[in-house]
């Protein structure tokens, strides 16, 4: 995960904070959300099953950053795609 995170942050480094939050098209997440989603994915599918008594920094992450993994529970629907 450290290598993936380093590569991801290198890729988004040229973006301003405002650019990282923009969603340029409905089927592509903003860079900021992508970073959050990949961190949640690692936590949910790698750490949680393997680290005894693992505790998430915030249980709301599971709802906010789960895009479509039904087996992981409810997920936050991208409301912009409805428009």
């Amino acid at each position: 995960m450290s290598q993936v995170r380093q590569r991801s942050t290198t890729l988004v480094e040229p973006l301003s904070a405002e650019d990282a939050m923009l969603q340029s098209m409905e089927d592509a997440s903003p860079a900021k959300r992508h970073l959050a989603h990949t961190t949640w994915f690692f936590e949910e599918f790698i750490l949680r099953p393997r680290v005894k008594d693992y505790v998430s920094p915030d249980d709301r992450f599971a709802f906010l950053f789960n895009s479509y993994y039904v087996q992981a529970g409810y997920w936050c629907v991208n409301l912009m795609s409805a428009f």
Side-chain angles (χ1 to χ4, degrees):
M1 179 60 186
S2 295
Q3 291 175 339
V4 170
R5 173 58 73 178
Q6 180 59 46
R7 178 69 177 138
S8 298
T9 55
T10 299
L11 289 170
V12 300
E13 192 172 327
L15 300 176
S16 69
E18 291 80 11
D19 289 339
M21 294 187 308
L22 293 175
Q23 184 168 354
S24 61
M25 55 196 302
E26 70 180 47
D27 57 349
S29 294
K32 187 175 182 178
R33 188 185 188 292
H34 173 72
L35 292 172
H37 172 78
T38 55
T39 301
W40 166 80
F41 184 94
F42 181 77
E43 176 183 286
E44 185 67 28
F45 296 108
I46 305 299
L47 293 179
R48 194 177 299 277
R50 291 170 178 82
V51 177
K52 186 178 185 221
D53 300 325
Y54 179 79
V55 177
S56 173
D58 190 322
D59 288 332
R60 294 175 294 182
F61 292 167
F63 176 76
L64 292 173
F65 304 125
N66 179 6
S67 300
Y68 43 80
Y69 298 96
V70 176
Q71 69 274 22
Y74 293 106
W75 65 88
C76 185
V77 175
N78 180 349
L79 297 177
M80 291 305 292
S81 65
F83 296 102

